[in-house]
Amino acid sequence: MKKFLTKYNFAAIFIILAIIFVPSKINTIALENKPSQNSKYNSYEYVIDNYDININVNENNTFDITENITAYFNIPKHGIFRTIPLKNTVTRLDGTTSKNRAKISNLTVDNEYETSQENGNYKIKIGSANQTFIGQQSYLIKYTYNIGKDPIKDYDELYYNIIGTEWDTVIGNVTFNITMPKEFDYNKLGFSSSSFGSTNNDNVNYTVNGYQISGSYDGILEIGEALTIRLELPEGYFVVPETTMNFIDYIMLAIPILFLLISIFLWYKFGRDEQIVETVEFYPPEGFNSLEIGYLYKGKAENQDVISLLIYLANEGYIKISEIEQKSLFTKSNGFKITKLKDYDGNNTNERLFLEGLFTKHASINSVANKIMSAPFEIPTLNKILDSSNNNTNEVTSNDLYNNFYTTMEKILANTNNKENKNKIFEKSASIMIVLVYLMIIASYCLITIPPVFAYGELDTLPFALLFPGFGFTFMFDMLFNGNAILGLALGGSFICISSNFILPALLQSQIYLIGYIIGLICVLGMIICAKYLPKRTSYGNEMLGKLRGFKNFLETTEKDKLEAMVMEDPNYFYNILPYTYVLGVSDKWIKKFETIALQAPSWYDSPTKFNTIRFGTFMNNTMASAQNVMSSKPQSNSSSSKSSGGGISGGGSGGGGGGSW
């Protein structure tokens, strides 16, 4: 009996001690995890005593999140703000990374609040500007977090920052409850905590019960510390989100198509030319130089049309073109020299500008600077240096024209492509419609670019998403229609690829946006084609085009007998026609036809070797190509540019973010 009582007394004492000690221990742990009760954090403006987060993971890879936050304000505050990332860079333990653009919806807050986007975050500012608090306040935030498609091909994953690294205060009593949509392998579940990059999980306690993961963090998260979960899942665990279209989506798809149909109608109504009658012509229309013929034929003067005046003015007796040998340190090459024979005495403004610009030397900045440094700095001396540096000469080579003639080139092109000349060969109504089509092109491009960036991108990248791919597409389309198609595809495509980072990540988040962007670009291309063929020629424009097509056809198809007869009638016929062949694009064919026809060297051509047509043709083609390159070259401004874990790591997942007080 005594022995029994001894055992009974021992058990009673143990029970009594357990009743007293265990709650005391629990309260001690809770107190240790409550920053407001820890004197260490008294100097903080506010702390977070409790942070409970509930995450329902959906099968379409969206998260329904409920955050219950209890803050304690040591000084008067209006409330807290919560920043949630819209752009995530996911970093894994093995060094692999991926990016996603998130979207937030279904937001509710149990307090007065306002939202904004800044620095790639969705900001929820909670509280009233007319009220402040001291002490404890609780906030309940609910929202749906959509990170879009899973970028990993071999597996799916839940990789989420339960607490992000961007809170500006300490956080205690962190608890979480995560509900998965279906079965998963809990052996592939892991947690990490502390500062970014840490793999420590010592303070994380959790249990798995069916589809539910519940747990807590034992301790206080300091400023900049995170709590992250990573669960590797089999490929296909998350299904492709259902694509639902809203009003903006319909507008984005419909408007470019509508604009394309309008452009086609405008071309059909205002842009179709009347039937052009080609006439047989042995000479170009009388009274026009080669530049003007190029304008009448194409409807626009270009650099090569201006350069053709070299041969035209040589035929008129104003200049002589000579073959010379240019030497560099290690190589020799054939070049050209242009000599002025007489001053211009005609009445054509562009011909006068061309001849005067050809023989005006402008000093480079370096040459002027060197002369100034070597001379006494006085105003008369400086003026004398400038006058001597910018002077007229009677001889120029390609080196003299490099970065020197472009201002003259621009003036001549502006004079030729002016509105008055354009209205002579194109109907005014068609010109107005072209402006309308280009406005629709711009509107369509903006419409397919802006919504994806607003939905999944950052607003501060919007100008780059519009401008950089826009420049790439513009260059590509321009080269396809007006220049070298291969070069246009290569350079334009490269530019688009480099700049696509501003728009492509947003497009990949939504199949609707991606399809809309592709359809929109196809419509834009169609509108560009309509704009190109929309200008309708006037009766005069049609008449001149018919004559020039007939003349070009003669140059390309005429037989040797006919050409010999023309040369017998006019020994300079070949040279008089030559400048026009460059603007009509048939110079190679024209020169080749005369390789077996006896010709005398023109008076304006000088060569150290005996004249023959083949050598002359080669020299002229090289000279025209070189002249176009150097005479259209511009000085370039200096610029510089700088470039500037199979498992999870703390802060390495999506979401999280942080917050502060205000």
Side-chain angles (χ1 to χ4, degrees):
M1 180 71 178
K2 186 175 182 181
K3 188 174 182 181
F4 173 77
L5 290 175
T6 303
K7 290 182 178 179
Y8 177 79
N9 291 338
F10 178 78
I13 293 171
F14 178 80
I15 292 172
I16 293 171
L17 289 175
I19 293 172
I20 296 173
F21 176 77
V22 172
S24 174
K25 180 66 175 178
I26 293 173
N27 290 335
T28 301
I29 293 173
L31 184 63
E32 288 176 351
N33 290 344
K34 200 169 185 179
S36 65
Q37 300 299 316
N38 193 322
S39 60
K40 176 182 176 182
Y41 304 112
N42 287 344
S43 61
Y44 284 58
E45 294 183 355
Y46 82 109
V47 294
I48 295 178
D49 277 342
N50 296 280
Y51 201 130
D52 178 71
I53 182 167
N54 189 293
I55 304 175
N56 286 323
V57 180
N58 301 310
E59 201 169 357
N60 62 358
N61 204 17
T62 63
F63 312 141
D64 295 323
I65 299 173
T66 301
E67 299 180 6
N68 199 330
I69 303 171
T70 301
Y72 190 92
F73 300 110
N74 292 315
I75 63 173
K77 289 284 186 177
H78 298 282
I80 66 170
F81 62 84
R82 178 79 169 89
T83 57
I84 307 170
L86 296 175
K87 180 180 179 181
N88 298 288
T89 299
V90 178
T91 306
R92 300 175 188 83
L93 190 60
D94 61 3
T96 61
T97 61
S98 60
K99 295 183 178 181
N100 62 61
R101 303 290 183 100
K103 192 175 183 180
I104 293 175
S105 59
N106 305 323
L107 174 68
T108 62
V109 182
D110 67 344
N111 284 265
E112 181 179 342
Y113 73 96
E114 60 183 35
T115 62
S116 61
Q117 292 187 32
E118 56 183 52
N119 300 323
N121 291 315
Y122 187 87
K123 183 176 181 180
I124 309 169
K125 187 177 180 181
I126 308 173
S128 171
N130 301 320
Q131 189 175 14
T132 58
F133 302 96
I134 291 182
Q136 180 176 297
Q137 291 293 322
S138 294
Y139 304 93
L140 185 66
I141 307 171
K142 296 181 179 181
Y143 58 94
T144 298
Y145 195 67
N146 183 355
I147 61 172
K149 292 182 179 180
D150 180 15
I152 305 173
K153 295 182 179 180
D154 300 329
Y155 60 89
D156 291 350
E157 68 176 352
L158 168 67
Y159 195 2
Y160 191 81
N161 300 320
I162 300 172
I163 303 293
T165 60
E166 297 174 5
W167 280 98
D168 63 0
T169 191
V170 293
I171 303 173
N173 288 320
V174 177
T175 56
F176 56 86
N177 187 73
I178 301 169
T179 303
M180 300 299 292
K182 52 190 176 183
E183 187 177 351
F184 60 91
D185 184 356
Y186 65 86
N187 292 314
K188 295 185 177 181
L189 172 65
F191 290 86
S192 54
S193 62
S194 193
S195 58
F196 179 83
S198 170
T199 58
N200 178 42
N201 62 1
D202 294 341
N203 293 342
V204 183
N205 303 304
Y206 69 93
T207 60
V208 177
N209 184 12
Y211 298 168
Q212 197 169 71
I213 307 165
S214 302
S216 63
Y217 180 80
D218 183 12
I220 295 175
L221 290 172
E222 300 290 338
I223 296 175
E225 292 187 336
L227 172 61
T228 300
I229 180 175
R230 184 174 186 273
L231 172 59
E232 188 172 317
L233 301 162
E235 175 65 22
Y237 186 91
F238 293 119
V239 298
V240 177
E242 295 182 4
T243 55
T244 57
M245 294 181 63
N246 55 35
F247 178 74
I248 296 297
D249 298 333
Y250 285 111
I251 291 295
M252 187 183 74
L253 290 171
I255 293 299
I257 296 174
L258 176 62
F259 283 169
L260 175 59
L261 294 176
I262 293 174
S263 300
I264 294 173
F265 171 77
L266 292 176
W267 166 81
Y268 185 84
K269 182 74 175 177
F270 300 100
R272 289 186 303 157
D273 287 322
E274 303 296 335
Q275 185 176 1
I276 297 172
V277 179
E278 294 185 13
T279 57
V280 178
E281 304 289 338
F282 301 150
Y283 294 89
E286 190 174 352
F288 296 100
N289 61 35
S290 56
L291 166 64
E292 294 159 346
I293 289 298
Y295 176 78
L296 290 171
Y297 179 69
K298 293 176 287 189
K300 178 184 179 181
E302 300 172 333
N303 289 348
Q304 64 265 33
D305 303 321
V306 178
I307 302 303
S308 71
L309 290 178
L310 269 178
I311 304 176
Y312 180 84
L313 291 175
N315 276 320
E316 295 296 316
Y318 291 105
I319 59 176
K320 180 174 69 173
I321 303 174
S322 305
E323 289 189 55
I324 61 172
E325 186 180 74
Q326 294 179 320
K327 298 180 180 180
S328 61
L329 186 60
F330 300 108
T331 62
K332 296 180 181 180
S333 61
N334 293 325
F336 65 88
K337 178 178 68 175
I338 304 172
T339 305
K340 183 165 74 172
L341 301 179
K342 64 177 182 178
D343 292 330
Y344 186 74
D345 55 5
N347 55 9
N348 186 290
T349 301
N350 288 331
E351 293 174 14
R352 181 184 299 277
L353 281 173
F354 186 90
L355 199 63
E356 291 176 353
L358 202 60
F359 296 104
T360 300
K361 285 187 177 181
H362 301 283
S364 67
I365 294 175
N366 289 336
S367 64
V368 173
N370 291 335
K371 290 182 180 180
I372 291 175
M373 293 298 291
S374 62
F377 192 78
E378 300 174 0
I379 296 300
T381 303
L382 178 57
N383 289 335
K384 185 176 180 181
I385 290 172
L386 292 174
D387 290 340
S388 65
S389 299
N390 298 318
N391 55 70
N392 294 328
T393 182
N394 289 325
E395 288 185 348
V396 290
T397 65
S398 59
N399 293 335
D400 299 318
L401 296 171
Y402 187 73
N403 289 347
N404 199 7
F405 190 79
Y406 67 96
T407 54
T408 301
M409 177 82 73
E410 291 171 353
K411 289 179 184 178
I412 294 174
L413 288 174
N415 287 344
T416 308
N417 293 319
N418 62 34
K419 188 175 182 180
E420 181 181 355
N421 288 339
K422 190 172 184 179
N423 290 337
K424 288 180 181 178
I425 61 173
F426 293 113
E427 297 284 358
K428 291 183 180 180
S429 59
S431 300
I432 296 172
M433 297 306 160
I434 292 174
V435 175
L436 178 59
V437 172
Y438 277 114
L439 288 176
M440 290 191 291
I441 290 172
I442 294 171
S444 297
Y445 179 69
C446 292
L447 195 59
I448 63 176
T449 303
I450 294 175
V453 176
F454 262 95
Y456 295 107
E458 296 182 30
L459 293 184
D460 55 359
T461 66
L462 181 58
F464 302 100
L466 285 168
L467 294 176
F468 283 89
F471 287 147
F473 286 121
T474 299
F475 181 80
M476 178 184 292
F477 293 155
D478 181 68
M479 292 295 289
L480 285 174
F481 292 121
N482 300 313
N484 189 315
I486 297 177
L487 180 62
L489 287 172
L491 295 182
S494 299
F495 196 87
I496 292 168
C497 290
I498 293 171
S499 59
S500 63
N501 186 54
F502 297 113
I503 181 65
L504 187 59
L507 295 176
L508 293 178
Q509 298 297 316
S510 169
Q511 188 177 11
I512 292 175
Y513 285 145
L514 181 60
I515 293 173
Y517 196 80
I518 294 172
I519 292 175
L521 288 179
I522 293 173
C523 292
V524 165
L525 178 58
M527 285 183 272
I528 291 174
I529 294 173
C530 289
K532 177 177 175 59
Y533 292 102
L534 186 60
K536 182 178 182 179
R537 286 184 176 257
T538 61
S539 297
Y540 171 76
N542 270 339
E543 178 187 354
M544 298 305 296
L545 183 58
K547 290 183 177 181
L548 291 176
R549 284 184 177 178
F551 177 53
K552 180 182 179 183
N553 184 58
F554 168 76
L555 298 179
E556 291 179 304
T557 61
T558 186
E559 300 294 335
K560 178 182 177 182
D561 293 344
K562 178 63 178 176
L563 292 177
E564 288 178 334
M566 299 292 288
V567 172
M568 289 292 294
E569 183 180 338
D570 178 7
N572 289 322
Y573 178 72
F574 169 78
Y575 305 110
N576 291 336
I577 299 300
L578 186 59
Y580 299 99
T581 66
Y582 283 100
V583 301
L584 296 176
V586 294
S587 58
D588 288 338
K589 293 181 180 179
W590 180 248
I591 293 172
K592 189 172 184 62
K593 286 180 179 294
F594 283 85
E595 288 182 353
T596 58
I597 298 176
L599 293 175
Q600 294 293 322
S603 59
W604 48 264
Y605 167 70
D606 184 33
S607 172
T609 61
K610 185 178 180 180
F611 176 82
N612 70 75
T613 307
I614 296 176
R615 177 179 173 82
F616 172 80
T618 302
F619 168 72
M620 289 310 305
N621 284 337
N622 292 340
T623 296
M624 295 297 285
S626 175
Q628 182 175 334
N629 180 51
V630 299
M631 293 172 75
S632 59
S633 61
K634 295 182 181 181
Q636 299 295 318
S637 57
N638 291 327
S639 62
S640 59
S641 60
S642 58
K643 295 180 178 179
S644 348
S645 39
I649 61 175
S650 179
S654 301
S661 63
W662 67 287

